[in-house]
Amino acid sequence: MAIAVFVVFVALVLAVSTHTSRKARSVGGYFVANSSIHWGVNGIAFAGGYLSVASFLGICGLIAFFGYDGFLYSIGFLAGWIVALFVIAEPMKRMGTFTFSDALNRKFSRPGIQLAAGLSVLVVSLFYLVPQMVGAGVLVEPLLGIPHYWGVIIVGTVVILIVAGGGMTSTTYVQFFNGGLLLTFATILTIAVLARGVHTADLPSEEGTQGLESYRFEETAIDLSGDIPQVALPYARVTGRHAVIDRHTGKESLVFYRVERPYPAVEGVDQTWSAIIMGRTVSFDSPPPDGYPWRFDQPYGRPVVMVNQWWLLDKDRGVLVETQNRTILPDGNSLVNGGPESASNRLRQMGYVSQIPEDYGESTGSVGPVRLLSILSDRSTVVQRPMHTAFTDETGEQITIYYEKPTSGDVFMRPGLMFPLEAREGEPAFTTLLNRLNFISLMLALFFGTSALPHILIRYYTVPSAEAARKSTIVAIAGIGLFYILTMYLGVGALASGAINPETSNMSAPLLARSFGEVLFAMISGIAFTTVLATVSGLIMAASGAVAHDLMGNLMRREFSDRSKVLTGRVVAIVVGVIGIVLGIAFRDMNVSFLVGWAFAVAASANLPSLLFMLFWKKTTAPGIIASILVGIILSVGLILLSPDMWARYGLDPAGAPMPINQPGIVSIPLSFITLVLVSLATQKKRPASA
């Protein structure tokens, strides 16, 4: 079913691209659809292009993992449209022709502005392109049962065909198609979540109609009174210990014990044995290859496989709680929960609500939208949030442990889990200040970045008039606002349904759909796939226009025919698409909304100051615009590369990163504004006459 829906969606998208390709032969047809798009269609296309995988996959995942803090991304993404509606929409249509640089350069006619603006469009488009490609791979991996990188390659190839063949007309109708479907099925899935309510006893089927029920992790008593800890599991023994040290207090915040325990084994063919571990059928080689930690024994008088697993110590209750783990062996092979990783042996989904107010018993039954949020916000509600910790042991094995952390509902549904604004135990005042600055920086980027995104700005040139640009913005705000309200229910629904992949927050919405059956899962996954196509096609169109229209003539210092510009635009679409594929594979494990936050920061730093001051400050000069764009790009990108998260990707200690917070906007946005003012004031006498 899922594969059939995927194929149908791809076929529909390519059919639209083929049908509209004949309108993409002229410069106006290829880059702006000859400004012939109806404002209603453009408004839905706005929504379809803006509601990227960061919104559909990323925000839902962040809400499932971090509660209310994830919803702050929805608020920031939507708030930015206020600037677009009241400040940018109509002036952009009146002042531009094809690209963002047209509006900036109309008053000055300076090649330097086109070069700087074209460079900005390329940088922002690439930053925004990466999370879309990451989301594409995450989606296609479970949908088609293929590796992540093949998913990225498939999406990249389809998008290249869309943009290179059909141009802006094709992109518009792909985005319109996606926007309508996304709003429709997000509403259907939200209604299903409300109808299900919240259950603490029986979780839905983890894998839809396949009948594999969600797994409840075991608990066992542990005796720590002796020199060697003893566990109340037959023929089991403790083989290791790992403690997580709180860097502020210096105390052990978490303690894990490695426990070797037996599982009954059944002999297969070719010296293989299988055992049921955490509800998964796991195959083992006998004898195990050198360096592999399992072993075979017969403590019951029958064959068993002895497997090492990690258990979390619950200090308050004096018990061990079973966890999941992934171990990367020194030879590069991966073990999941103690057994070789395979299609049948993979990490189980996690997360659920373990306690709700007593008045409801074990189930709320169907609830309304306000009642659901009220129940989850209650202090007597307890949610089990997926968490993880990673370390390398003395043998060189890289171990990641996935566990569930009980969190009260009133903590889960208020700010603080992802963006801690209050001081934690032992936390220095400076760290608390940095946390607050990081949050403010993110909100600045989201609020100011929307109206400066190149794939959003070019949509204003596809309608025939400034009035149509304003109307299409209003339609977009209505559609986007409705969707962001729905993300809250999709996110908390994923947690309450135990529909969370512990390794990636990006799959929460599709896995939630799967808990209702394969049909809904197939539809949601197919729609999410078209969401990637819609956004990526818009980004590549923006990059294509920047090179063919803004950079090519300036760098080569001669005029090009319309045919040459269209051909160049198509070649650039292919090149940018390939770059996006490579980066999408490299950043696989990062949340897509988090990555998009960086793109917004770069857009707000590089583009918005120039747009606003050009419109509202008469002393703005061409050198001021150029300097502001370049400073915005260099600062925002440079600070991102020096941030704690990137420092960790380099294999370095995040605490030693030169930039102490992950979000650069609080530094780069003000300095870009200041640069424009100072340089413009310093170059007043050099300002050219208005064209």
Side-chain angles (χ1 to χ4, degrees), residues 222-375:
I222 183 170
D223 182 1
L224 299 173
S225 60
D227 294 335
I228 300 176
Q230 301 293 321
V231 293
L233 291 171
Y235 299 102
R237 64 189 181 96
V238 174
T239 59
R241 183 181 188 272
H242 173 71
V244 178
I245 307 299
D246 188 296
R247 64 188 181 92
H248 299 306
T249 64
K251 301 177 182 178
E252 293 182 346
S253 58
L254 294 170
V255 176
F256 298 90
Y257 286 95
R258 184 171 58 197
V259 177
E260 184 185 63
R261 64 180 298 195
Y263 288 93
V266 178
E267 187 173 9
V269 297
D270 299 328
Q271 291 187 312
T272 62
W273 294 75
S274 63
I276 304 297
I277 300 178
M278 294 189 184
R280 305 286 201 200
T281 300
V282 186
S283 296
F284 296 87
D285 293 332
S286 178
D290 292 340
Y292 282 61
W294 73 77
R295 63 187 177 87
F296 291 93
D297 204 343
Q298 295 195 15
Y300 302 109
R302 58 172 291 187
V304 299
V305 59
M306 305 295 292
V307 174
N308 282 285
Q309 297 174 329
W310 288 91
W311 296 62
L312 171 64
L313 175 63
D314 186 331
K315 297 179 182 179
D316 295 335
R317 298 187 296 144
V319 299
L320 292 181
V321 180
E322 189 179 29
T323 68
Q324 299 192 89
N325 70 88
R326 177 184 293 279
T327 301
I328 306 298
L329 299 173
D331 65 3
N333 286 320
S334 176
L335 303 181
V336 171
N337 297 328
E341 182 177 17
S342 65
S344 61
N345 184 36
R346 57 194 184 279
L347 290 174
R348 302 208 61 126
Q349 294 171 199
M350 298 175 67
Y352 71 104
V353 179
S354 59
Q355 180 178 310
I356 56 178
E358 293 182 358
D359 296 345
Y360 295 99
E362 294 184 339
S363 174
T364 64
S366 299
V367 293
V370 176
R371 178 61 61 85
L372 177 62
L373 298 183
S374 174
I375 292 169

Side-chain angles (χ1 to χ4, degrees), residues 357-393:
E358 293 182 358
D359 296 345
Y360 295 99
E362 294 184 339
S363 174
T364 64
S366 299
V367 293
V370 176
R371 178 61 61 85
L372 177 62
L373 298 183
S374 174
I375 292 169
L376 292 174
S377 303
D378 195 287
R379 66 177 55 191
S380 62
T381 296
V382 177
V383 300
Q384 301 291 335
R385 296 172 50 230
M387 308 286 287
H388 74 276
T389 185
F391 61 95
T392 302
D393 70 4

Side-chain angles (χ1 to χ4, degrees), residues 15 41 85 164 178 186 200 208 218 298 306 348 357 374 382 391 460 477 502 518 526 547:
V41 172
L85 175 61
N178 168 71
T200 61
E218 294 183 50
Q298 295 195 15
M306 305 295 292
R348 302 208 61 126
S374 174
V382 177
F391 61 95
Y460 289 118
I477 291 174
E518 288 297 312
V547 173

